[in-house]
Amino acid sequence: MATSESATLSKAVKQQYMELPQGDKVQAMYIWIDGTGEGLRCKTRTLDVEPKSIDDLPEWNFDGSSTAQSEGSNSDMYLIPAAMFRDPFRKDPNKLVLCEVLKYNRKPAETNLRITCSKIMAMVADQHPWFGMEQEYTILGTDGHPFGWPSNGFPGPQGPYYCGVGADKAYGRDIVEAHYRACLYAGVEICGTNAEVMPAQWEFQVGPSEGIKMGDHLWAARFILHRVCEDFGVVASFDPKPISGNWNGAGCHTNFSTKEMREDGGLKAIEDSIEKLGKRHGYHIRAYDPKGGLDNARRLTGHHETSNIHEFSAGVANRGASIRIPRNVGQDKKGYFEDRRPSANCDPYGVTEALIRTCLLSEEGAEPADY
């Protein structure tokens, strides 16, 4: 399996420099979503003092013509700090800064879905929407071959790998453990992890997170995963169907509840939301991957624990449905539901916004309303 040349560089030599004192200065790594709607970019600047909140962070800019976000003749784009985390790579007092992107005219970039998501979340803040997203991913070599798979063949069929233990079942656990601890250090609301059905495929969960924090924390967790994989010389893929054939795809199942759903008798509110979702299936499919449903079409086939992309379905404990009501929720008559349609490479801002628009703002039709 191919790994990057960078991974062969001596980490011990690097550590000599990382242990040098940095005085009163702080390194802030600014992170943003590029023009693909799924790729991440970053660059670092020096601050004179440690920022205590987003308000202490300056705006910045970058060349949008190199990130598929502008033309070269008018390429300056603005980075607007939106969320701040501790930096698990450079450590305290250094920071990771998740940013929104604005164009030269101060209007949001096409892939800046955070700005509208934030407005929609503010409209329903009194309902305290909680989300939990289950991010699946696949570890690949730099040649695109799944980590640990035979170079000229396939591993044994699916079955023993889900939550598996042992060198012949769990491929790449060091990466998973490093990512988990780095997220905890950073302050990301990560709540669990497990090996998935396909070998070299894993999942981590973020949440419960309220409102806009869901998107912020999932994007931060994704960035940290990419950086951890970079150190190990491998690649984290969020492709919803990285290997064709009889292998599971990768999704980002999204769990959702409101204060009303979590209280006694909340099952009625859950069922009302599911009814609304069933009438707006096409809108959600378009919102649930960065290519308007084309990526998910390879995954949502009705096989391998997925629903059919062309049909809406719901059921208790049914992992082949669009919407799953957990069995304990059906018994307790309150709790949350799981939307199993979002793809692994979805934008969590777009997914959570779509759920709010349909379930809480009772929007109908193929397009989002303009408020």
Side-chain angles (χ1 to χ4, degrees), residues 285-348:
I285 289 297
R286 288 192 297 277
Y288 283 2
D289 81 47
K291 296 183 178 65
L294 293 178
D295 276 348
N296 239 345
R298 295 183 285 122
R299 166 181 162 259
L300 296 179
T301 61
H303 303 289
H304 304 109
E305 299 183 58
T306 70
S307 58
N308 188 301
I309 194 169
H310 302 296
E311 301 170 359
F312 180 85
S313 57
V316 175
N318 183 356
R319 283 178 163 76
S322 307
I323 305 293
R324 180 180 72 94
I325 299 176
R327 189 169 301 282
N328 66 301
V329 173
Q331 293 170 345
D332 296 342
K333 306 284 191 252
K334 63 179 180 181
Y336 66 96
F337 66 85
E338 176 192 47
D339 192 334
R340 298 178 59 82
R341 295 172 293 175
S343 66
N345 62 344
C346 70
D347 188 325

Side-chain angles (χ1 to χ4, degrees), residues 238-257:
F238 297 115
D239 189 296
K241 189 69 175 180
I243 305 297
S244 59
N246 196 26
W247 303 99
N248 273 35
C252 193
H253 303 156
T254 301
N255 302 278
F256 172 59
S257 72

Side-chain angles (χ1 to χ4, degrees), residues 85-141:
F85 300 86
R86 296 169 71 195
D87 187 335
F89 306 102
R90 294 167 172 154
K91 301 181 182 177
D92 290 337
N94 304 301
K95 306 296 181 187
L96 301 180
V97 182
L98 187 66
C99 299
E100 288 188 15
V101 176
L102 301 183
K103 296 189 283 190
Y104 70 95
N105 56 7
R106 307 291 293 186
K107 294 185 180 298
E110 284 72 13
T111 55
N112 177 4
L113 304 190
R114 187 185 190 277
I115 196 162
T116 52
C117 180
S118 183
K119 292 175 182 176
I120 294 298
M121 292 300 173
M123 292 173 64
V124 298
D126 61 330
Q127 299 188 55
H128 300 285
W130 289 4
F131 302 92
M133 299 186 78
E134 307 169 21
Q135 177 68 70
E136 294 179 335
Y137 63 95
T138 309
I139 303 172
L140 307 176

Side-chain angles (χ1 to χ4, degrees), residues 223-288:
F223 174 81
I224 292 170
L225 178 62
H226 284 308
R227 276 287 288 105
V228 167
C229 285
E230 181 184 321
D231 283 346
F232 281 99
V234 296
V235 176
S237 170
F238 297 115
D239 189 296
K241 189 69 175 180
I243 305 297
S244 59
N246 196 26
W247 303 99
N248 273 35
C252 193
H253 303 156
T254 301
N255 302 278
F256 172 59
S257 72
T258 62
K259 185 173 183 290
E260 182 182 9
M261 294 177 191
R262 296 187 293 270
E263 293 176 342
D264 289 344
L267 184 61
K268 174 67 165 60
I270 292 172
E271 291 172 340
D272 288 346
S273 289
I274 293 173
E275 183 177 352
K276 294 175 185 176
L277 290 168
K279 297 175 181 177
R280 217 179 184 209
H281 181 60
Y283 163 72
H284 283 266
I285 289 297
R286 288 192 297 277
Y288 283 2

Side-chain angles (χ1 to χ4, degrees), residues 30-81:
Y30 280 46
I31 303 159
W32 70 97
I33 302 162
D34 69 16
T36 66
E38 50 186 314
L40 288 165
R41 308 293 180 109
C42 64
K43 64 176 186 172
T44 301
R45 68 182 297 163
T46 302
L47 304 177
D48 291 330
V49 294
E50 180 179 358
K52 302 301 182 185
S53 72
I54 288 298
D55 296 333
D56 297 332
L57 292 162
E59 292 184 10
W60 206 8
N61 56 68
F62 68 96
D63 169 19
S65 68
S66 298
T67 62
Q69 288 172 293
S70 71
E71 298 178 357
S73 59
N74 193 7
S75 65
D76 278 2
M77 308 282 285
Y78 296 103
L79 291 172
I80 312 300

